[in-house]
Amino acid sequence: MAKADYYQVLGLEKGASDDDIKKAYRKLAVKYHPDKNPGDKTAEEKFREATEAYEILKDPSKRGQYDKYGHAAFEAASGGGGYGGGYGGFGQSSSVREALV
């Protein structure tokens, strides 16, 4: 299942200010917080989704990566075929080190 756009999750446009991002998140966090909606799985999911969006958009570096690459910027690092993954990652760097010695 494809993830929703983080800006849409927070109800914002792509060029939103840091202050707007914070306000939008707080509004949704209060509305969907599990303590205010005990047992409501839909509210729990919306709270989790809003928190995930806020965690990316509040950080200027992460936000820049998201703006440029979308969700793909973070899937490679957490998923599978990311950077330096696999069994050969360490062997390659030690080979380079041995060649320099």
Side-chain angles (χ1 to χ4, degrees):
M1 186 170 153
K3 288 186 172 188
D5 179 81
Y6 287 149
Y7 291 101
Q8 289 178 354
V9 167
L10 297 179
L12 299 169
E13 296 293 322
K14 192 171 184 178
S17 71
D18 292 342
D19 193 45
D20 289 340
I21 291 169
K22 187 182 229 178
K23 286 178 186 177
Y25 169 69
R26 285 185 175 175
K27 182 178 175 181
L28 292 174
V30 167
K31 182 177 181 178
Y32 294 117
H33 196 280
D35 289 347
K36 287 195 169 202
N37 301 282
D40 185 344
K41 294 295 180 187
T42 302
E44 187 178 316
E45 178 62 26
K46 289 193 178 282
F47 178 78
R48 186 200 57 77
E49 194 174 53
T51 300
E52 182 179 325
Y54 180 65
E55 288 299 315
I56 297 299
L57 298 180
K58 75 175 184 176
D59 181 301
S61 175
K62 290 180 183 177
R63 184 177 180 184
Q65 290 177 335
Y66 179 75
D67 288 348
K68 190 169 186 179
Y69 302 110
H71 292 291
F74 306 100
E75 290 169 359
S78 65
Y83 308 99
Y87 293 104
F90 291 107
Q92 185 177 17
S93 56
S94 60
S95 297
V96 171
R97 187 175 34 239
E98 289 170 6
L100 295 173
V101 173

